Amino acid sequence: MKPETFGIISSICAALFIATITQVIAADDTRPIAGFSEQASIKQHQLETRLDEKIKAEELDEWLKHMSAKPHHAGSAASKETAEYIAQLMSSWGYQVKIEEFEILLPTPRVRELEMVYPENYHAALREDSLPEDPSTSVRDNLLEPYNAFSAEGEVEAELVFINYGRPEDHEYLERHGIDLTGKIAIAKYGKTWRGIKPKLAAEKGAIATIIYSDPADDGYGKGDVYPKGAFKHESGVQRGSVMDMPTYPGDVLTPGIGASKNAKRLKIKDAATITKIPVLPISHRDALPLLSAMDGAVVPPEWRGALPITYHLGPGPAKVRLKLAFNWDMVTIYNVIARLKGAKFPNEWVIRGNHHDGWNHGASDPLSGQIAMLAEAKAVAELAAAGSPPARTIIYASWDAEEPGLIGSTEWAELHAKELKKKAVAYINTDGSSRGFLSVGGSHTLENFFNEISADVTDPQTGVSLKQRQRANLKLNGTDETIKKEARERKNIRIAPLGSGSDYTPFLQHLGIASANLAFSGHGDGGSYHTLYDTYEHFTTWRDPGLLYCVTLAKVAGRATLRLANAEILPFEYTALHDNVNMYIGELEKLAETMRTETENRNRDIADGTYALVLDPQKTLGPPMVQNAVPYFSFAPLKNAALHLEQAALTFASRSSIETRTAKQNRKFNRLLYTSERLLTLDAGLAGRNWFKHHIYAPGFYTGYGVKTLPGVRENIEQRNYDTVPDEIEKAAGILHKMAQRIEELNEI
Ligand SMILES: [Zn+2]
């Protein structure tokens, strides 16, 4: 999953007020809940109070300790044991449990050699240290040594070029220095962009391999004390991770679009488009230091510098390295645990709640912090059902395998059951690694109001105010720009972030068009443990969530989300926030085109009239940028008209009380039209060049990976200067918004 950004340590003085304020929030059962009648709201609040009482930190702690005791990566015996442990718990609580297996291709490391051959010899250790202070780090049986899954294999020897974070703008800068990556080995820093983008882009530029290291400036001693004294990355720590080309399609690389069951039709490995084109290896900064110290060439610009005690150079060379990688290209069985609680009224409407169980290593934070929250919810929900309050809709708890190598367990399950899911899935709620601080909600904008009601109803365990008050305070002070700060003061609801990729919601949202959300706490959980040997019980409970206060709170948030979706008389989807956000995205696109046009004009003029030549130091290698094609004017009118159509329909919808006097039959139809409305934001043909991705409002960026691109068809074609295709993409997106508006009009007629 996606690493969080790290914030400051919070003050805990406010914790003194917890007791009193908690009582105030809990005592008020009369607050209306969208989708529930007055009577039903009171009942639902009472149910949620009982839910909260059943979630116990001691139990979460026991599950965490048990499941993080040893490495349990997908394909290992320990991963199967974890699945069986979860299945056994779920069954004991009364769920109908099935372990669904898939057969997937999963490479594990066989040969990993990195050696500097010039100007000195250095053998990279490629190994993380066990630490006496953290006994878990000595539990190394079946430990996956640091590697990047779905890297190509091979042996290469070449000079190094430093490519900073390996983003498109970093390559542009290298080109201005006349540095050609052809035949070279790129060395990149982790961070700023999803890791898989680094080798993808480097290969496009001609590199024959990529090395990725974690610079201490980003999550090591440049940030704070390192583990075990502090939370940040140990000098030997290496971030593992998949480099599969997930922005093309996630899941098993041999079965795009179909479930990887035993007899599924499979591609040949050589035809799998999502395996990298060149070898890639992650290393520690301890191993990177000798390589970077031996580099020369132009000194990097200030913003490229890391925190190692050297002057960073771009290269190429003279440092020359030999890299040899080989993998076991095994077919392995993976185990998804699917636990069902049948809905008492609407068994064919499914609320799906998921979190993965495989970890790169011990995986205490990623994924177990979310997994234990989910288990706590599941246990509480089952107990409530047994005590006479079963959910109206079916609840499915899904514990996914093989998320880490490429969202594989969830993707294969979603692909195999696509037809049924499109018909029955009401929503998908995801969690993954979580720490402490502020609630972050990403998801479908139709759920904005829904999650604002929930965050107003759950108490922050350290300050005693509601989660929403704390989120708002954080945005007021730390919002990334003035608009966000202003909105935090004035806007009724806090926006939920659009989702790109990075966890198991992707197949549900992006492929099937099921309204989805991803929940986590972040901001105050320090750390550099992500995907390293140091993501242990000891690290997590010391630095990321001591006392598991926020794991408990996450269970309360996701538990409410699941129960409200399961019990609502009218499903709580709402469209004014969708309009408001889409309208904002259209504004961003207009601004993007405008800014690019002006910048391109100015830059081209400055190149042509010699301005660059007068400023740049003739004794240095940095040259002027390349001339770019002028940006034409685009007509955004079709999109703006569609947004207007959406707005009118959404306002009418919002003006009607959510619980009206419809017949039961009408309500059923109304709900079905509501929960299938997200499907209308998808097109079967998918996005151009990557048709697995069907959603046309949210997609992971083709050159950013996890980072979302909203209205991706339009946005990416402008950004990538494919101007000719932009008008078509504008029409397509407009068509989708009109369809959505028509659906809302249909709802308004019922
Ligand atoms: Zn994860």
Side-chain angles (χ1 to χ4, degrees):
M1 59 85 56
K2 179 152 71 176
E4 61 170 282
T5 46
F6 306 107
I8 46 162
I9 304 277
S10 73
S11 150
I12 52 161
C13 315
L16 296 172
F17 300 104
I18 293 175
T20 43
I21 302 178
T22 307
Q23 281 160 9
V24 173
I25 291 182
D28 179 13
D29 282 343
T30 57
R31 294 177 316 279
I33 305 176
F36 290 79
S37 65
E38 215 180 298
Q39 270 314 95
S41 289
I42 293 172
K43 245 180 93 184
Q44 181 68 18
H45 279 302
Q46 288 166 350
L47 193 70
E48 291 169 3
T49 304
R50 288 164 62 204
L51 173 92
D52 291 352
E53 287 163 3
K54 290 177 184 299
I55 298 169
K56 300 199 177 72
E58 314 85 76
E59 288 182 336
L60 278 84
D61 185 65
E62 184 195 321
W63 300 325
L64 179 63
K65 218 180 248 163
H66 181 92
M67 292 188 286
S68 67
K70 56 186 175 187
H72 54 104
H73 57 89
S76 68
S79 177
K80 187 177 182 222
E81 283 166 30
T82 309
E84 284 162 354
Y85 175 75
I86 292 166
Q88 181 266 322
L89 285 176
M90 290 282 192
S91 305
S92 74
W93 299 330
Y95 287 88
Q96 242 183 324
V97 182
K98 198 171 156 195
I99 294 187
E100 291 197 37
E101 299 181 3
F102 293 96
E103 306 294 314
I104 63 153
L105 180 72
L106 185 59
T108 51
R110 188 160 61 81
V111 179
R112 299 175 310 132
E113 289 171 16
L114 175 64
E115 180 192 14
M116 181 158 65
V117 295
Y118 183 86
E120 287 150 54
N121 198 267
Y122 173 76
H123 273 271
L126 310 180
R127 186 186 154 91
E128 294 166 307
D129 301 348
S130 295
L131 306 174
E133 297 86 344
D134 179 347
S136 294
T137 60
S138 297
V139 182
R140 303 182 75 116
D141 282 353
N142 293 312
L143 174 71
L144 271 182
E145 291 297 348
Y147 84 118
N148 286 131
F150 297 100
S151 155
E153 56 186 14
E155 181 170 13
V156 291
E157 185 175 310
E159 285 180 328
L160 289 173
V161 174
F162 183 65
I163 64 168
N164 197 28
Y165 294 106
R167 299 165 296 183
E169 59 266 40
D170 297 326
H171 288 280
E172 270 170 40
Y173 185 80
L174 288 168
E175 280 155 18
R176 289 183 59 187
H177 272 282
I179 294 174
D180 182 1
L181 265 185
T182 307
K184 308 288 190 230
I185 295 177
I187 181 163
K189 290 188 278 191
Y190 260 117
K192 305 286 185 208
T193 184
W194 176 59
R195 75 181 79 74
I197 298 302
K198 301 168 198 280
K200 172 168 157 172
L201 208 47
E204 285 180 15
K205 303 289 178 188
I208 55 172
T210 304
I211 297 165
I212 315 175
Y213 82 101
S214 299
D215 197 284
D218 293 314
D219 62 359
Y221 60 71
K223 277 277 193 278
D225 285 321
V226 302
Y227 199 54
K229 185 185 178 199
F232 290 98
K233 190 172 255 104
H234 187 266
E235 60 177 7
S236 72
V238 186
Q239 183 190 134
R240 289 153 189 75
S242 179
V243 286
M244 176 197 287
D245 190 7
M246 283 187 263
T248 296
Y249 64 85
D252 178 37
V253 299
L254 302 183
T255 58
I258 57 167
S261 51
K262 235 185 190 92
N263 301 319
K265 196 164 175 286
R266 288 181 159 76
L267 298 174
K268 293 205 172 69
I269 293 182
K270 68 172 176 48
D271 296 326
T274 52
I275 297 174
T276 63
K277 305 288 177 275
I278 57 174
V280 199
L281 182 71
I283 64 173
S284 65
H285 71 74
R286 191 165 72 186
D287 274 336
L289 180 59
L291 314 185
L292 293 169
S293 315
M295 290 181 69
D296 210 338
V299 171
V300 305
E303 60 280 15
W304 284 36
R305 279 176 212 149
L308 291 169
I310 55 166
T311 302
Y312 289 69
H313 295 90
L314 296 176
K320 200 175 196 187
V321 299
R322 182 184 67 84
L323 173 68
K324 185 175 179 187
L325 294 178
F327 303 97
N328 304 304
W329 295 91
D330 294 329
M331 292 299 294
V332 305
T333 307
I334 57 167
Y335 306 90
N336 289 332
V337 185
I338 308 295
R340 277 165 214 260
L341 189 60
K342 199 171 165 190
K345 285 193 191 152
F346 312 111
N348 286 325
E349 293 178 10
W350 298 353
V351 178
I352 308 167
R353 164 80 179 94
N355 196 107
H356 70 101
H357 65 71
D358 66 303
W360 276 122
N361 287 314
H362 300 70
S365 170
D366 181 6
L368 296 175
S369 54
Q371 182 68 231
I372 56 174
M374 188 171 88
L375 287 175
E377 295 157 47
K379 183 173 184 233
V381 165
E383 285 173 5
L384 293 172
S389 304
R393 297 185 176 81
T394 293
I395 297 178
I396 297 179
Y397 284 101
S399 189
W400 310 116
D401 201 351
E403 186 268 359
E404 292 297 1
L407 319 179
I408 302 178
S410 55
T411 298
E412 299 314 314
W413 191 80
E415 288 175 347
L416 186 71
H417 301 288
K419 225 173 135 191
E420 196 173 13
L421 285 167
K422 278 190 200 168
K423 234 168 87 187
K424 297 179 179 172
V426 167
Y428 175 72
I429 308 292
N430 192 68
T431 54
D432 196 331
S434 181
S435 62
R436 53 195 276 274
F438 309 99
L439 176 66
S440 90
V441 185
S444 301
H445 294 309
T446 49
L447 292 171
E448 179 184 290
N449 189 62
F450 175 69
F451 279 108
N452 271 266
E453 285 188 352
I454 291 174
S455 62
D457 279 357
V458 179
T459 307
D460 178 76
Q462 292 190 123
T463 61
V465 301
S466 74
L467 297 177
K468 182 170 176 177
Q469 271 173 283
R470 217 169 166 220
Q471 277 178 308
R472 198 184 279 288
N474 183 42
L475 289 170
K476 278 186 198 170
L477 294 188
N478 300 323
T480 46
D481 63 40
E482 286 313 310
T483 318
I484 292 174
K485 290 181 181 178
K486 187 166 181 279
E487 273 194 6
R489 291 172 201 284
E490 295 166 5
R491 198 170 184 269
K492 174 175 164 269
N493 280 337
I494 293 170
R495 287 182 199 274
I496 61 180
L499 288 174
S501 187
S503 194
D504 293 305
Y505 51 80
T506 293
F508 297 94
L509 179 67
Q510 321 280 4
H511 189 59
L512 299 180
I514 294 165
S516 298
N518 188 55
L519 308 171
F521 283 93
S522 63
H524 290 162
D526 278 349
S529 64
Y530 175 68
H531 291 186
T532 69
L533 175 60
Y534 309 106
D535 183 5
T536 58
Y537 177 83
E538 290 81 351
H539 187 287
F540 187 79
T541 54
T542 308
W543 300 107
R544 292 180 68 75
D545 187 18
L548 305 182
L549 296 180
Y550 282 89
C551 288
V552 164
T553 310
L554 184 63
K556 292 177 181 175
V557 174
R560 270 173 180 70
T562 305
L563 276 182
R564 288 185 187 187
L565 286 164
N567 290 340
E569 293 154 286
I570 298 298
L571 286 165
F573 296 102
E574 198 277 333
Y575 299 97
T576 56
L578 175 68
H579 163 261
D580 185 46
N581 281 279
V582 165
N583 210 35
M584 181 173 81
Y585 302 146
I586 297 169
E588 287 170 9
L589 291 176
E590 285 188 293
K591 204 170 149 207
L592 170 71
E594 195 57 47
T595 310
M596 274 179 64
R597 185 177 309 111
T598 315
E599 280 177 6
T600 306
E601 268 169 26
N602 288 343
R603 194 167 49 230
N604 287 352
R605 193 180 321 112
D606 291 343
I607 297 166
D609 69 11
T611 302
Y612 276 95
L614 293 179
V615 172
L616 292 168
D617 183 345
Q619 296 185 12
K620 298 250 168 85
T621 53
L622 182 65
M626 302 269 284
V627 172
Q628 302 272 21
N629 286 347
V631 184
Y633 286 93
F634 304 111
S635 169
F636 292 96
L639 263 178
K640 289 161 105 167
N641 287 325
L644 188 64
H645 186 190
L646 181 63
E647 181 180 29
Q648 286 160 348
L651 285 174
T652 308
F653 183 89
S655 70
R656 305 169 79 206
S657 156
S658 61
I659 306 295
E660 288 170 86
T661 48
R662 293 185 205 89
T663 63
K665 197 176 159 205
Q666 282 173 324
N667 267 346
R668 268 208 300 284
K669 181 178 177 198
F670 196 79
N671 279 330
R672 189 173 47 76
L673 291 175
L674 272 172
Y675 77 74
T676 54
S677 66
E678 186 88 16
R679 318 281 193 270
L680 302 174
L681 302 176
T682 66
L683 288 178
D684 277 347
L687 295 174
R690 44 175 178 150
N691 65 10
W692 187 92
F693 285 91
K694 313 287 187 199
H695 210 292
H696 274 61
I697 307 292
Y698 319 112
F702 194 68
Y703 286 113
T704 54
Y706 285 164
V708 64
K709 295 288 176 183
T710 52
L711 296 167
V714 183
R715 191 181 297 264
E716 292 199 314
N717 280 299
I718 297 175
E719 286 175 351
Q720 292 165 24
R721 298 180 186 267
N722 302 323
Y723 306 134
D724 292 353
T725 54
V726 172
D728 268 3
E729 292 292 342
I730 288 177
E731 287 293 344
K732 255 193 253 176
I736 278 171
L737 297 178
H738 280 299
K739 268 197 301 179
M740 183 58 122
Q742 282 157 9
R743 167 62 61 90
I744 303 167
E745 285 165 350
E746 196 181 345
L747 283 160
N748 290 341
E749 295 298 312
I750 299 174

